[in-house]
Amino acid sequence: MAKVTAFLMTIVMFLFPSWNIPEAPSVPESTENEYTCVFVHGLGGWGEDSLIYSIVPYWGMLGGDAMRYLQARGFDCCAADVNPSASAWDRACELYAQLTGTRTDYGAEHSARFGHKRFGKDYSRHPLVREFSAEAKIHLLGHSFGGATVLQFVDLMTNGSKSELAASPEDVSGLFTGGKKDWLYSVTMLAAPMNGTTAYDLKEIVPKEKSATFPERLVVAMCALASVPPLDGRDKQDCAAYDMTIDGAAQLNKRLRLPDSLYYFSVPCCTVTQTADGTYEALPSTEPLFVASANRLGRYTTTTPEGTVVDASWLPNDGLVNTISAVAPFGAKTTQLDRNHVRPGVWNIFPTYEGDHMSLMGGFMKNNNVRLFYVDLLTLLYSL
């Protein structure tokens, strides 16, 4: 999926080589912290360690590399590169290895239970950050499924894993020992399906419908391609396609215990408007790729196999993620963002961003200037 996306994006960038993008101010001279901001991509995505990133930067897309731009403005930031379709657990293990400059360890118990190799890539020669510790904390930002990856990472950094400690006490990864919540400072979710998405229902429904349109079949095919699990014979529940379902996300959220000491933010997106019959349809500004899925999700209700009722509150969406799911994990403490009184241990919710699922990345087929957005966001994080 990443290679296909890069090819399509290269064509678009060739046809539309430049846009007039306004400059943004630099990081303020007076800040409370200047910790590294670590960006984690979503399903089917890629980070700066991937060759594709030099062709099509995931963070910035059509508008150019947002990481380089933010670095030039004085912000310390980097883009992690984790498996595009593996589970939140496996991606969190890869993130830890990149940040600490160690060999990826998926855990003896986890890898045996889900049927894949325990160890992965070794980052000892090129860690993502120069230093990572309680003295050199990080801000974590996750787009789409990168959100679940970040939350799983925070949980393991804080609480560790009793099952991994029991399975391999002699050579357990530092991630599974826990006790590292003071290595982290803030968490930001960007259009992240923290409670799953009904888009995965479309993979089952649309192919069976004779009346399904070509645009509907196209977006379903792309989602299916991006969701192909790693080809290592693993259990199907150890992949992003399961964690992103509503029931899969609910199971993940039940396991997570997030510390109250961190700052939590979310930026939900919406690209639809309500119609006279109460359903929702895509706004004219929606990228063509997401129009069909936005319309489908805007009228789809159901009850999941495990009993979650997907009612009208789920209809607003960004073309791939239901807006309600991107606000905060269900049951968590929330408050609308007040920049003058940001509270830790509570989800501080940004105003809903009008845009489709890739708008915060800079646009997949339509250029969207996100430079000012990220300068504003990182300035807020540095002010905490």
Side-chain angles (χ1 to χ4, degrees):
M1 175 60 179
K3 292 181 179 179
V4 173
T5 301
F7 175 72
L8 294 175
M9 292 293 293
T10 301
I11 293 176
V12 173
M13 295 178 76
F14 175 78
L15 295 175
F16 305 96
S18 64
W19 284 268
N20 183 22
I21 300 177
E23 289 297 303
S26 300
V27 59
E29 293 184 3
S30 177
T31 61
E32 293 298 321
N33 76 83
E34 293 187 6
Y35 298 132
T36 302
C37 296
V38 179
F39 289 71
V40 183
H41 64 77
L43 178 73
W46 54 94
E48 61 186 55
D49 193 41
S50 170
L51 290 176
I52 299 174
Y53 198 94
S54 61
I55 303 172
V56 182
Y58 183 89
W59 299 95
M61 291 279 178
L62 297 176
D65 189 351
M67 296 296 100
R68 291 180 60 185
Y69 180 83
L70 291 170
Q71 290 162 1
R73 311 310 295 178
F75 297 96
D76 185 5
C77 54
C78 56
D81 185 49
V82 292
N83 191 294
S85 61
S87 63
W89 176 285
D90 285 358
R91 286 160 57 100
C93 295
E94 294 167 356
L95 178 59
Y96 179 79
Q98 290 178 50
L99 291 171
T100 56
T102 56
R103 180 176 59 168
T104 303
D105 183 351
Y106 301 110
E109 190 278 332
H110 176 89
S111 56
R113 176 156 50 100
F114 290 106
H116 62 77
K117 293 181 179 180
R118 175 181 173 181
F119 296 105
K121 188 173 180 179
D122 189 338
Y123 294 91
S124 58
R125 292 187 178 181
H126 54 287
L128 188 61
V129 296
R130 286 179 295 178
E131 186 179 1
F132 181 36
S133 66
E135 290 70 40
K137 307 178 196 295
I138 60 172
H139 298 285
L140 289 159
L141 302 94
H143 172 246
S144 192
F145 189 57
T149 305
V150 165
L151 295 185
Q152 177 69 84
F153 178 77
V154 171
D155 172 71
L156 289 171
M157 287 286 287
T158 302
N159 307 301
S161 170
K162 292 181 179 179
S163 61
E164 294 302 338
L165 286 170
S168 182
E170 301 300 325
D171 62 344
V172 69
S173 166
L175 178 62
F176 303 134
T177 61
K180 300 180 181 65
K181 68 179 181 181
D182 55 346
W183 292 29
L184 314 172
Y185 204 69
S186 77
V187 168
T188 302
M189 301 285 102
L190 304 164
M194 289 176 274
N195 305 287
T197 169
T198 55
Y200 274 80
D201 289 13
L202 300 186
K203 288 201 307 177
E204 305 298 327
I205 297 173
V206 169
K208 299 176 183 178
E209 291 186 351
K210 294 182 179 180
S211 60
T213 65
F214 175 76
E216 289 175 333
R217 295 183 185 279
L218 177 62
V219 72
V220 166
M222 290 192 67
C223 286
L225 182 60
S227 303
V228 173
L231 303 177
D232 55 7
R234 68 178 56 207
D235 186 286
K236 65 180 181 180
Q237 290 194 358
D238 190 32
C239 61
Y242 177 75
D243 285 344
M244 289 184 68
T245 65
I246 294 173
D247 288 340
Q251 291 298 321
L252 176 60
N253 287 335
K254 286 180 182 179
R255 298 193 299 269
L256 301 181
R257 292 174 293 147
L258 305 178
D260 291 335
S261 57
L262 306 187
Y263 293 96
Y264 297 92
F265 301 92
S266 70
V267 186
C269 292
C270 186
T271 193
V272 295
T273 184
Q274 191 171 25
T275 64
D277 65 1
T279 60
Y280 289 75
E281 63 181 21
L283 293 167
S285 57
T286 306
E287 289 195 358
L289 179 64
F290 298 120
V291 170
S293 56
N295 291 337
R296 272 285 185 143
L297 298 184
R299 60 177 186 268
Y300 178 73
T301 58
T302 188
T303 299
T304 70
E306 294 188 11
T308 297
V309 177
V310 178
D311 56 20
S313 66
W314 287 77
L315 299 184
N317 69 87
D318 66 11
L320 281 182
V321 172
N322 313 85
T323 304
I324 190 176
S325 184
V327 173
F330 290 155
K333 297 177 181 178
T334 63
T335 185
Q336 295 303 305
L337 175 65
D338 180 348
R339 292 172 182 263
N340 296 317
H341 301 283
V342 178
R343 298 161 52 192
V346 176
W347 284 92
N348 298 273
I349 315 303
F350 274 73
T352 299
Y353 188 94
E354 184 177 307
D356 55 59
H357 192 61
M358 294 303 291
S359 60
L360 292 178
M361 297 303 97
F364 189 76
M365 298 175 70
K366 289 185 177 182
N367 182 49
N368 183 47
N369 174 24
V370 292
R371 292 182 174 182
L372 296 175
F373 170 83
Y374 283 112
V375 167
D376 176 68
L377 174 57
L378 268 58
T379 299
L380 172 62
L381 298 183
Y382 273 21
S383 74
L384 299 175

